[in-house]
Amino acid sequence: MRAVLMAGGSGTRLRPLTCDLPKPMVPVLNRPIAEHIVNLLKRYDITEIIATLFYLPDVMRDYFQDGRDFGVQMTYAVEEDQPLGTAGCVKNVSELLDETFLVISGDSITDFDLKKAIAFHKSKGSKATLVLTRVPNPIEFGVVITDEDDKIVRFLEKPSTSEIFSDTVNTGTYILEPEVLDYLPGECEQDFSKDLFPLLLEKGEPMYGYVADGYWCDVGHLDAYREAHYDALDKKVLIDYDYPETSAGVRIGKNTYVDPEAKIHGPVLIGSNCRIGPRAVLEPGTVIGDNVTIGSDADLKRPIIWNGAVVGEDTHLRACVIARGTRVDRRAHILEGAVVGALSTVGEEGQISPGVRVWPSKIIESGATLNINLIWGQTAQRNLFGQRGVAGLANIDITPEFAVKLGAAYGSTLKPGAYVTVSRDQRSISRMASRSLIAGLMSVGINIQNLEATAIPVARYVLPTLDVVGGIHVRLHPQRPDHLLIEFFDKKGIDIPKSKEKKIEGAYFKEDLRRSQIHEIGSVTYPSRVIDIYTTAFSKYLRAESIRNSRSKIVIDYAYAVSGAVLPQLLGQYDCDAVVLNASLNPTAPSIAERDVMLGQLGQVVQALQATFGVQISANGEQLVLVDEVGSPIRGEALTALMAHMILTAHPRGTVVIPVQASGAIEEIARRHDGRVVRTKANPTALMEACHTQENVVLGGSGDMGFIFPQLHPGFDAMFCVAKLIEMLLIQERSLGQIWEELPRVFHRSQTMRCPWTIKGGLMRYLVETHPAESLELVDGVKIVDASKQNWVLILPDAGEPLVHIFANSEDRDWVDKQLQTYRQKVQDFIESEQGRKESVI
C-alpha cells in the first residue's frame, strides 16, 4: 500500500516558528513532525510514500531525499503555481494511485494502529474510510456523525457550540479507493472535508468512519505544539526516540556533557553535542535540541529549545519555545507561552512577557521588557566595543568569521600597506581568533608583525619600536574565562580612543570594507628578539644591583598563563630565588573560583618557605594579587593603597593616577609624601591616557585593573610590578606586613545592583537634580562629596552590563554602612518607579 503524506502547509498559527520552515518540518522531540509520521507508516509496513509539497518544498526534500536513510521510498509532488487543497493535491498524483491507498496529514502526532484501520476499511467494502477520534472539545475540528454500522451520515466542519452533535472528529487520515478521485476536477483547489466527502455522501458511495484507539494531537497552534512535547515525554504516545534513556525519564544524546552539579528532573530530553553548565536546573518537561549550550545556574521549567541555541547563565525559561540558533543572554527571562524565532538574540536581563511572539532574526536589547509581539523591523545593532575592547562568548560571539570581518573593518580604517602587530595569549581559542583577524587584515592590504603568544605588557612595549600604526591583542577575558577579549592599541601601546572604535564599528556594520587586489594582499612577518627588547627596558628602570643583593625569596603563581614563559627569564638575571607554581601553559584558563583556591595554596607555600612574599599573576601579565609573608592576600583597594605608599615613598612629590572609584586612602598617602592624585574615568583607556599626559606620574592604576609604570610603557604590567616590589622592599627595609600597618585606615565598601540599560541615564539625572551642585563631582558617574572631601558616595553605572555600582568611602565605618544602605534604597526606589511608569505606558 502507498501513502500520501500531505506536507504542503505553511502553519500560519505556528508563526513565528514556520517563517522559514514548513509546518511538517517543525521538530517535536528534536525530530520533524513528518519524520514521526514516516516512522508510524513504516511501523505498519507502509514504505512507499508520496509527499505533496507547496510551502518551502526544498526543506523537506533536502531532509528526506529518497527516503533510503529512513527505511522508506519517498517521492515528491510539488504544487507549483497555487495550493490545490487537501484533496486537489492528492488528485494531482492520481496516476500513481492504482490501488487502495492511505492519506495522512503532515501536521499531527499520533500512534494509531493503521493496520486495524485498513482491515476495517476492507471489511466494510468502503470507498472512503475516515480515521476518527474522540476529543473533549471538538469546536476546532470537523465533526463526523456515523450510524450504528459506522457508516457516515453527516459532516460538520468546525461547528459552533450549539451545533456539536458528536465528540467524534476527523483526524485527517483517510483510506481511499482510487476511483473516488474521479469525482474531483483536475488542477483546481479541492478539499476532502468540504468538497469530496460531502459529494460522496450525496452520491451514495459507501463511506465509513473508523474510531481509532490511541493518541492524536493536531499540532495546529503553539499551545498544542508544547502539549505534544509534554505528552510524548510522559509516554502518552508511542513514538520513536532519538536518544537512549540514561536514567528514569531522562534521555540524553551522544557527546553531551552534563556538569555534575547540574540537576535534571525527568522526564527531560537532551540532544547530542550539548553542554549543560554547573547548577543548571532542568525541570520535568524540558526539551533541548542538538548542539545547545546551557549556562551555569540556568533555571529551565518546561521550555522547548531547538538546535544550536545558546542559553546564558542564570537565565529563566518558563514553558516557552526557543527556535533554532537563538541566543538568550545572562539573567534573561522568557515566560510562559512566549516564542522566540530562529536566529534571534535576547540581551542580558531582557524579559519576554507571557504569550509574546518574536519573529526570526530579531534583537531584544539588554534590560528591555517586551510586552507586545515583535514582527516588523529589527532593534538597533549593539556596539562592537564595550568597556574594554571587543568581548564576547568564545566561538559563539567571537567566531572565525566574525574575527575575519572585524580584522577587515579595522584594516579598512588604516592606509593600505600599513603595519600592525598581532599578539595573543597561549590559549587555542586565541590562536584561532588571531589567525582569523590576520586573514581579515591581509585581505584589505595590511601587513602583519606577528608577535604570536606573548604577555600583553611585552606586546604593548614593543609597539613603538616596530614602526607600526597599531596593534591587536587577543586573550581570554580576565573576569569571564568563557569569553574572548580583543584589544586594539595605538602606535604608543595605549588602547585606542572611542573615536577610533566608532570608525571600526562603522566599517563593520556598514560593511564598508576595502578589498585589495592580489598583488596588494598584506604580508606576515615575525619580529625577532621581542623578549630581549622588553628585557633591556625592564632592566633599565630597576636598580639591578639592589635586587641581586636582596636575597629575596619569592613564590610566583603564574596561573597557567603565558607570563610564566617570560617572567622567569627576567628574574633569573637578578639571581632571585623564585619558587614557581602553575607555570605550565594550559589551553584553558582557571575560573575565578579556581584562582581563589590556588591563591590559598600560594599563601601556604609562602608560609612554609618563609618567603619574602608571594604573587599570583593573571590577565596575561597585567594583574596581580600579593600574598604577604604570613600568607595573607592583599588585593583590590588594599593593594592600591600599598603600591601608592611604596612608590611615593621612593618618589616623593610624584603624581599617582587612579580611577574615580578608588579608595580615598590614596589622597591621605599622597599628602604624607607631598604628592598629587589624579582621578580618571573608570575605564582603562582613560587611565593610560592620563598616565601618558599628566606630569611626573610615578604610578597609575588600581589593584583591580593592574598598575602602570609610565617610564616603562603606558600599559598595565604585573611583571615589572613584581620586580619593583623586590627593589622597594629592600630599599625601604620593610616587609609587606609592616608597610600594611603604616597605611591609613579608610573604610571603602561597594555594592552592585541590577539596573536596566534604559534606566541608567534617568538615574544619573535624578541623582544630579536631587543634590546640591557644590557637593557633586562628575568625573564618571555621580560622586556626592561632603565639605571635608573625606567622605563620599559614588554611584557608577557599569559600561558593559546592566548594573550600577555604589561605592562609599570614609574614616567612619558606621557612616559608610549607613550611606550604602541609604543610596541602595534610593536607587532601588527609582528603578522600581521607572519600571512601573514604563509598564503603565505600554
Side-chain angles (χ1 to χ4, degrees), residues 282-325:
L282 279 61
E283 296 289 348
T286 297
V287 176
I288 297 175
D290 296 334
N291 306 306
V292 172
T293 299
I294 306 295
S296 60
D297 300 293
D299 183 15
L300 276 53
K301 288 183 171 62
R302 304 204 309 162
I304 296 161
I305 303 173
W306 290 14
N307 294 354
V310 177
V311 177
E313 60 191 54
D314 203 20
T315 50
H316 294 257
L317 306 183
R318 301 285 183 268
C320 54
V321 181
I322 308 297
R324 168 182 57 87

Side-chain angles (χ1 to χ4, degrees), residues 139-182:
I139 290 176
E140 290 292 318
F141 307 104
V143 171
V144 179
I145 300 172
T146 60
D147 63 14
E148 63 277 3
D149 192 37
D150 300 318
K151 193 171 184 177
I152 294 173
V153 297
R154 186 177 178 185
F155 294 98
L156 199 58
E157 187 67 18
K158 296 186 178 179
S160 65
T161 304
S162 62
E163 294 177 314
I164 296 175
F165 303 111
S166 172
D167 62 353
T168 308
V169 301
N170 179 3
T171 67
T173 300
Y174 317 122
I175 303 155
L176 305 175
E177 296 301 320
E179 54 264 31
V180 301
L181 299 179
D182 295 338

Side-chain angles (χ1 to χ4, degrees), residues 587-703:
T588 57
S591 66
I592 293 174
E594 290 170 334
R595 290 209 303 264
D596 285 341
V597 172
M598 294 159 64
L599 192 63
Q601 296 169 344
L602 173 62
Q604 294 172 2
V605 174
V606 169
Q607 280 185 290
L609 297 179
Q610 297 183 330
T612 309
F613 65 87
V615 60
Q616 183 184 78
I617 297 179
S618 61
N620 202 22
E622 283 196 331
Q623 297 170 10
L624 76 162
V625 176
L626 289 181
V627 172
D628 68 14
E629 65 273 15
V630 297
S632 300
I634 304 173
R635 66 206 312 178
E637 296 307 318
L639 181 55
T640 308
L642 183 137
M643 287 300 300
H645 176 78
M646 295 181 72
I647 292 292
L648 286 173
T649 300
H651 303 280
R653 295 181 295 281
T655 298
V656 174
V657 178
I658 55 174
V660 65
Q661 74 273 22
S663 168
I666 310 303
E667 276 82 3
E668 175 61 30
I669 292 168
R671 279 192 290 271
R672 294 180 184 180
H673 300 284
D674 198 20
R676 184 169 73 102
V677 175
V678 173
R679 288 184 178 263
T680 74
K681 292 183 177 182
N683 65 77
T685 304
L687 274 166
M688 293 183 213
E689 290 175 345
C691 287
H692 185 70
T693 57
Q694 293 287 328
E695 293 183 1
N696 196 29
V697 177
V698 293
L699 181 71
S702 70

Side-chain angles (χ1 to χ4, degrees), residues 101-157:
F101 63 95
L102 181 140
V103 175
I104 189 165
S105 171
D107 52 13
S108 60
I109 297 293
T110 181
D111 58 6
F112 290 158
D113 189 326
L114 299 180
K115 188 171 287 187
K116 287 183 178 179
I118 295 166
F120 172 91
H121 172 82
K122 292 181 176 178
S123 70
K124 295 290 186 180
S126 177
K127 294 293 184 181
T129 297
L130 282 66
V131 179
L132 312 176
T133 192
R134 293 190 171 93
V135 298
N137 183 8
I139 290 176
E140 290 292 318
F141 307 104
V143 171
V144 179
I145 300 172
T146 60
D147 63 14
E148 63 277 3
D149 192 37
D150 300 318
K151 193 171 184 177
I152 294 173
V153 297
R154 186 177 178 185
F155 294 98
L156 199 58
E157 187 67 18

Side-chain angles (χ1 to χ4, degrees), residues 70 104 134 185 191 319 322 352 434 439 521 559 567 651-652 658 690 692 802 810:
F70 299 87
I104 189 165
R134 293 190 171 93
D191 187 84
I322 308 297
I352 300 179
S434 68
I521 297 296
L567 189 53
H651 303 280
I658 55 174
H692 185 70
S810 176

